[in-house]
Amino acid sequence: MFLRIQLTPVFVFLATVSISCVQGSPPSSVPNAGIVCRFTEEAGLVFNQETNDVIQATFRHASFPDIEGETSILLLGSVSYSFKNLQINNMSVEKSDVDLSNEKGILIAIQNVAAAFEGTMDYTYSSWLANWIQKLFTDFVSFTLRHIVKGQICAEIHKMANQLADFTLYQAGLFMQDGEIATSIELTTDPVLTSGYIESWHEGSVSYKNAIVFQKPSGIPVERVETRMFNLWVSEPVVNSLLFAAHHDNRLTLTLSDGDLLKLFDNGGTKTEPNLLQQMIPGIPMDNLMIKLESLRPPSLLFKSVGTILQASVSLQVEVLSSSEDSYTALYLEMASETIVHTSYTDSKIHLRPSSNHWSIKAVRSNPAIALDESKAKRYLEAFFATGGLEKIISYIEFYITALLHKKGLCYFNITNPVMETDEGYVTIATDFGFPRQLLENFLRNLAPMTRP
């Protein structure tokens, strides 16, 4: 059996692409999009292999409606037939290919499909010839059965493939949303399909509590080259809009106490030697202290060839906790910082590596008993950064981002050879990957039974 199917929506939820089989060539300029996504033909082959597995699993035990009809054969008579309780068992697909064409769209060719059928076949025939014609009619009915069921399987595979595509797009929408923060995957124009890749342009606007966060035009260049199976270009305004929403959703706050506080201010001295925090606030046990780091305004990112420049304005507040009386603020400090950060993804974790850091103190307020002025605060902060304090703070950010990505299911993908590179106004994220089995298993669990009324 040979099936050639032209699919409508397509490919992989990582790309968040809603693709219709379109014709066209790359435009002379990129539409006003915040995100550009490109899948290569190799990515399509990976997705296609998983689709084959879904097809075979779906049709392992599938039922079809009863079929009745009557056909006449010239000079020989007529035959009435009915096929009841039709079931297909153990379908196998020997070969399946994907072809990307700007003329025909996305074509999936499924070849050498084998299956076993079960059911009840009844037929009657009329003929003016002797009983030897019965075998001819039997052969004809068998041929009719194969032809009808083949057409039914083609229709079901086409429908199931589109259901899978819709399912992946739904999962993409979930991936792009967390709580009341969401990133739009609306297409700004029809995707472009070439023989080597399919590319789509997405709005990328960010909404918070159903209100659109302001986004400026994209800085993504027209000329781009893919380096992996999956390639994503994200503009500066998209990321800064996410930071704006995260700030207003109180996600850019870090509260530390107990062991985390000891780890943050550990300067490599002995246990009896006071650490930096104890030096700033003497006489109070570490167990009674709590630090709160908070962004004073939405931070901003600048994508440059040297890396990502993070500009932030933060406050540091040291609280003294007491069971006998209300807690009070021992120290409050405001500072501005500019840090160059390089980002990578290995071992299923986000890694943030700062290469430089410039900061300045904007305000210092302390309890009168401490009497900490700006010059003393500056010396303590210099010592803190000199002993790896910035890297320790960033490690908490790494943990938060990694946990968020895992929550969205990125850990189920077999990510290989990932690259994250920044350039003027945008970041490139590219990777090879394996399709997650769990996503397909979820699809099969939620798929309606393959029984048609």
Side-chain angles (χ1 to χ4, degrees), residues 147-310:
H147 178 74
I148 291 173
V149 173
K150 175 183 175 181
Q152 186 72 26
I153 290 175
C154 287
E156 293 292 348
I157 289 178
H158 188 279
K159 183 172 184 178
M160 187 279 301
N162 283 333
Q163 284 179 313
L164 178 59
D166 290 339
F167 176 78
T168 58
L169 292 173
Y170 173 74
Q171 295 295 322
L174 295 180
F175 187 86
M176 302 299 286
Q177 180 173 355
D178 189 70
E180 296 184 291
I181 302 175
T183 305
S184 171
I185 57 175
E186 293 277 336
L187 291 171
T188 61
T189 187
D190 288 337
V192 164
L193 190 62
T194 72
S195 60
Y197 64 82
I198 185 165
E199 183 171 283
S200 58
W201 300 275
H202 302 265
E203 185 178 288
S205 61
V206 176
S207 61
Y208 175 61
K209 293 185 176 180
N210 296 321
I212 299 296
V213 176
F214 176 74
Q215 172 155 335
K216 295 177 289 186
S218 168
I220 300 174
V222 176
E223 297 297 329
R224 297 173 308 279
V225 178
E226 75 274 5
T227 59
R228 300 289 188 273
M229 291 163 54
F230 165 68
N231 303 268
L232 195 67
W233 293 271
V234 183
S235 68
E236 223 171 63
V238 173
V239 180
N240 283 318
S241 296
L242 285 169
L243 289 174
F244 180 91
H247 170 79
H248 287 281
D249 203 43
N250 296 319
R251 298 196 183 200
L252 304 183
T253 299
L254 179 63
T255 301
L256 301 174
S257 60
D258 300 330
D260 287 329
L261 207 56
L262 286 169
K263 180 181 177 182
L264 180 63
F265 286 94
D266 179 25
N267 55 5
T270 64
K271 293 184 178 180
T272 58
E273 182 182 347
N275 59 38
L276 285 173
L277 185 59
Q278 290 171 319
Q279 293 175 36
M280 282 191 289
I281 306 174
I284 300 175
M286 287 288 288
D287 292 344
N288 290 358
L289 296 178
M290 180 182 71
I291 276 189
K292 184 177 182 181
L293 288 168
E294 189 173 16
S295 63
L296 294 172
R297 59 185 62 88
S300 65
L301 292 180
L302 299 175
F303 292 134
K304 304 290 184 181
S305 57
V306 295
T308 302
I309 301 176
L310 171 62

Side-chain angles (χ1 to χ4, degrees), residues 294-453:
E294 189 173 16
S295 63
L296 294 172
R297 59 185 62 88
S300 65
L301 292 180
L302 299 175
F303 292 134
K304 304 290 184 181
S305 57
V306 295
T308 302
I309 301 176
L310 171 62
Q311 297 174 333
S313 180
V314 299
S315 67
L316 183 149
Q317 184 171 311
V318 182
E319 292 284 324
V320 178
L321 309 177
S322 175
S323 57
S324 59
E325 58 185 50
D326 293 337
S327 61
Y328 64 92
T329 300
L331 174 65
Y332 177 84
L333 183 149
E334 292 181 2
M335 62 181 293
S337 68
E338 182 176 289
T339 308
I340 297 179
V341 180
H342 299 272
T343 307
S344 61
Y345 184 84
T346 57
D347 301 324
S348 300
K349 295 179 181 178
I350 284 288
H351 301 278
L352 304 174
R353 180 173 57 86
S355 62
S356 67
N357 180 43
H358 302 283
W359 54 272
S360 60
I361 295 176
K362 300 299 182 183
V364 177
R365 296 195 294 272
S366 64
N367 187 281
I370 300 174
L372 187 69
D373 60 19
E374 184 173 334
S375 62
K376 290 182 180 179
K378 184 177 180 180
R379 289 198 298 272
Y380 283 124
L381 285 176
E382 287 174 344
F384 173 73
F385 289 128
T387 55
L390 178 62
E391 288 79 1
K392 294 174 184 177
I393 292 176
I394 286 180
S395 70
Y396 289 99
I397 301 174
E398 291 175 337
F399 176 82
Y400 170 77
I401 297 175
T402 299
L404 181 61
L405 293 176
H406 284 185
K407 174 184 173 183
K408 293 302 176 181
L410 185 62
C411 56
Y412 297 121
F413 284 85
N414 179 22
I415 301 295
T416 55
N417 304 318
V419 60
M420 302 179 72
E421 297 178 344
T422 56
D423 213 322
E424 194 70 31
Y426 69 97
V427 60
T428 301
I429 304 169
T431 186
D432 297 328
F433 67 94
F435 207 77
R437 300 296 302 180
Q438 186 181 47
L439 186 66
L440 297 175
E441 291 169 1
N442 288 342
F443 170 75
L444 290 173
R445 282 195 295 267
N446 291 287
L447 189 66
M450 295 296 294
T451 302
R452 302 290 175 251

